[in-house]
Amino acid sequence: AVVSTQSTGKLSRLQRYRYYQRLAPPMTLFVPDHIIPPEFFTVVPVERGKKQSSIVTIFSLWNTMLGTSLLCMPAAMLHAGLLLGSAVILGVGALTCYTALLVVRVTMEVQLLDIFRKTPLEFADVIEYYMPYPSAMIALSAGSASFFGALIIFWILLSNFTYASGLTFANIISGTFHFHNLTDNGAVCNAYNTSATLTGSEWGPWTENTVPIYIIFMVFPLCCLKSATFLSKFNSLGVVCILFAVTFVVTKASLWGINLSITDTLSSHYVAPLSVDFNKLAGTLTLSFFIHNAIVALIRNNANPKNNTRDTMAAFLMVALTYGLVGVLFLITYPLDKSCIADVPSQLLFDNVSLNDLLAFLAKVFQILQLVTVFPLVCFVLRSQLFLGVFKDPFVSYKHVILFNVLVSLLCILIAIVYPKVNTVIRYVGSFCGLAYVFFFPCAIYLLHCYKNLTLTWYSAAFHILIMLFGLFNLISQFLTFSDYL
């Protein structure tokens, strides 16, 4: 092709401007807007219909963050104590909100600087922009680990809810299901110890060890879909399930009344106001507030970008209040020994309620419907992310997809059988992935961004280094029980 002298001059000028913007400090140069040739600008039509209000943005963030950890919050708060637990929820919520705002701020500022980019910028692109190649791969691995951890948690929950629902159906068929006049308004220490199972063997046709295997028939065909468009239409189920779970806890709390003692250590209703094992709650909350790899995409369509900071803070506050409401209400009203909440193997609040409880049964059915659609959706995201990184194609072939789904399913089944403790899995996954994507990369990228723009101060560097060290402490402390050393 013949390239004119004028086109060659424009191309060389374009390359020169790009070079100026990518210079390292203290040689950073910014090209003033008024000297950029008009042909370098593109008029982008604004699609008003696709913009969303602040209310929609806030509830999108709220719905995305609120997940399965909501059902583990009473058990998690029991480790930290009633008062300290509430403070930890607010503290970790504020810290993760700040690092999420760093992600938004840096990504948006780099997007404005890179005037020649045609596609939306994500935080992973910013990491690759500021850091060498291995850092981008570490970020990708941390993001993938969070998705895989979520799949494990979903499989455990599906196994738990399906097993419990099966026992309830067995009670209905046998005529022993009576949802009225329940002892303690449905409260039990362990739902599975107070109801006859379908078999006495651990490997019978319907046991806690065999039900995880059956889950593969519920989700595997959906995981093999080439597109996730069909599954994404069921996202609204998440809001319904969250509201139902909150309503369930509020209803039970109103029936149980206050059953709490913070002074009498011999009382069955005793809940410590403070506990040194708060690190377990912090690990759980790191995943509970984890939205850092998706927040840019969720707020990009905000009708008024000036409200991004306010909307993000409002969403995090709503999430913190929702977690606190469920955790505190269940702890102070549960009428039996409080140790039952932590002693339940699954660490789910539903397992402290009778299988004959109608509200609990309906809540589990809603959770099953949601998880059956969410699991394939998350599996699709994980598969696309890994396949793009390895094969440069999100859908290589059905053979690759089936092999990938088989491996994921086998790992999930194994963990669901061997270690079905939801809260423990959440805090390990949260602390590991949080170290990279919640604490380290947002702070490190922000410091590099400030350094490049010559706005970095020593106290800002010290503050953000402390946040990164907290992330490291959060991960290490999950392997420790501080009360054992006192």
Side-chain angles (χ1 to χ4, degrees):
V2 179
V3 181
S4 67
T5 305
Q6 185 179 6
S7 299
T8 304
K10 291 179 182 179
L11 181 60
S12 63
R13 208 182 321 175
L14 172 62
Q15 298 296 339
R16 186 163 64 251
Y17 289 165
R18 283 178 168 169
Y19 171 72
Y20 289 159
Q21 290 185 345
R22 293 179 180 270
L23 286 175
M27 298 298 296
T28 305
L29 296 174
F30 295 99
V31 182
D33 292 340
H34 68 276
I35 72 167
I36 298 177
E39 58 267 21
F40 285 179
F41 289 94
T42 303
V43 178
V44 180
V46 178
E47 298 181 15
R48 299 288 182 185
K50 292 191 176 181
K51 293 295 181 180
Q52 59 192 27
S53 65
S54 291
I55 294 296
V56 174
T57 301
I58 292 170
F59 275 95
S60 295
L61 294 171
W62 176 78
N63 181 37
T64 304
M65 276 188 280
L66 278 176
T68 54
S69 50
L70 181 69
L71 305 178
C72 306
M73 205 48 60
M77 284 192 67
L78 201 60
H79 291 297
L82 188 62
L83 299 180
L84 183 58
S86 302
V88 170
I89 290 177
L90 293 176
V92 174
L95 191 59
T96 51
C97 177
Y98 176 73
T99 56
L101 289 173
L102 291 182
V103 170
V104 174
R105 177 179 173 180
V106 175
T107 305
M108 294 303 179
E109 290 183 3
V110 173
Q111 177 81 64
L112 291 175
L113 290 176
D114 198 352
I115 61 175
F116 307 107
R117 185 182 179 91
K118 295 181 179 180
T119 57
L121 198 69
E122 298 293 342
F123 186 60
D125 300 318
V126 179
I127 294 175
E128 190 173 359
Y129 178 84
Y130 277 110
M131 290 182 144
Y133 176 74
S135 300
M137 292 304 298
I138 293 173
L140 175 64
S141 300
S144 300
S146 67
F147 286 126
F148 181 65
L151 292 178
I152 294 173
I153 295 166
F154 293 159
W155 202 286
I156 296 174
L157 290 172
L158 270 172
S159 303
N160 179 280
F161 297 148
T162 304
Y163 174 66
S165 299
L167 296 181
T168 301
F169 276 121
N171 292 341
I172 293 174
I173 294 172
S174 63
T176 59
F177 180 80
H178 304 291
F179 63 87
H180 56 281
N181 297 327
L182 295 176
T183 305
D184 294 315
N185 287 308
V188 295
C189 196
N190 187 334
Y192 303 134
N193 288 342
T194 58
S195 204
T197 59
L198 302 184
T199 174
S201 170
E202 292 185 358
W203 292 97
W206 195 264
T207 68
E208 292 174 281
N209 289 338
T210 53
V211 170
I213 301 174
Y214 302 153
I215 302 302
I216 196 170
F217 299 106
M218 299 169 62
V219 299
F220 191 86
L222 294 174
C223 290
C224 294
L225 295 177
K226 189 174 183 178
S227 172
T229 304
F230 171 74
L231 298 172
S232 62
K233 295 179 181 179
F234 296 90
N235 279 344
S236 57
L237 275 176
V239 179
V240 176
C241 293
I242 292 169
L243 293 177
F244 201 100
V246 173
T247 303
F248 168 80
V249 172
V250 172
T251 303
K252 284 299 177 184
S254 64
L255 293 173
W256 290 335
I258 302 298
N259 299 284
L260 175 68
S261 174
I262 59 174
T263 56
D264 184 6
T265 57
L266 298 179
S267 172
S268 61
H269 296 156
Y270 175 74
V271 177
L274 308 171
S275 176
V276 294
D277 292 327
F278 64 91
N279 56 304
K280 298 179 189 279
L281 175 60
T284 301
L285 291 171
T286 306
L287 189 63
S288 303
F289 288 107
F290 181 66
I291 198 175
H292 296 61
N293 59 345
I295 188 169
V296 175
L298 289 173
I299 70 169
R300 180 176 287 120
N301 293 325
N302 199 345
N304 192 351
K306 293 181 180 179
N307 296 333
N308 283 345
T309 299
R310 183 200 66 184
D311 296 346
T312 302
M313 293 175 66
F316 271 85
L317 179 60
M318 285 177 57
V319 171
L321 292 177
T322 307
Y323 284 140
L325 174 68
V326 171
V328 171
L329 266 185
F330 199 86
L331 274 183
I332 66 177
T333 61
Y334 183 69
L336 304 182
D337 197 313
K338 304 298 184 181
S339 62
C340 293
I341 298 174
D343 291 343
V344 173
S346 66
Q347 301 167 334
L348 295 170
L349 61 87
F350 287 146
D351 287 351
N352 291 119
V353 181
S354 171
L355 292 174
N356 288 337
D357 189 277
L358 183 60
L359 270 180
F361 171 68
L362 292 176
K364 291 171 187 175
V365 171
F366 274 112
Q367 291 288 339
I368 291 172
L369 292 175
Q370 183 205 11
L371 291 170
V372 166
T373 58
V374 171
F375 184 95
L377 191 61
V378 175
C379 188
F380 171 83
V381 174
L382 175 61
R383 184 187 75 210
S384 300
Q385 192 176 77
L386 292 178
F387 281 15
L388 275 173
V390 177
F391 303 108
K392 309 301 180 184
D393 185 352
F395 192 91
V396 184
S397 67
Y398 275 108
K399 182 175 67 175
H400 289 80
V401 170
I402 291 175
L403 179 60
F404 173 82
N405 291 336
V406 167
L407 292 176
V408 168
S409 300
L410 289 177
L411 288 172
C412 289
I413 291 172
L414 179 64
I415 297 175
I417 294 175
V418 176
Y419 201 78
K421 296 185 177 182
V422 179
N423 185 44
T424 306
V425 175
I426 287 176
R427 64 187 181 88
Y428 280 129
V429 173
S431 58
F432 173 75
C433 300
L435 172 61
Y437 235 107
V438 177
F439 300 114
F440 177 76
F441 282 116
C443 293
I445 294 299
Y446 175 72
L447 293 179
L448 289 172
H449 183 68
C450 291
Y451 178 68
K452 182 174 182 179
N453 295 325
L454 305 179
T455 59
L456 182 62
T457 59
W458 69 266
Y459 49 85
S460 176
F463 174 70
H464 291 91
I465 289 173
L466 285 176
I467 294 178
M468 290 188 277
L469 290 176
F470 172 79
L472 180 61
F473 164 78
N474 186 39
L475 173 60
I476 297 174
S477 66
Q478 300 309 312
F479 300 94
L480 304 173
T481 302
F482 294 142
S483 58
D484 292 343
Y485 301 95
L486 297 178

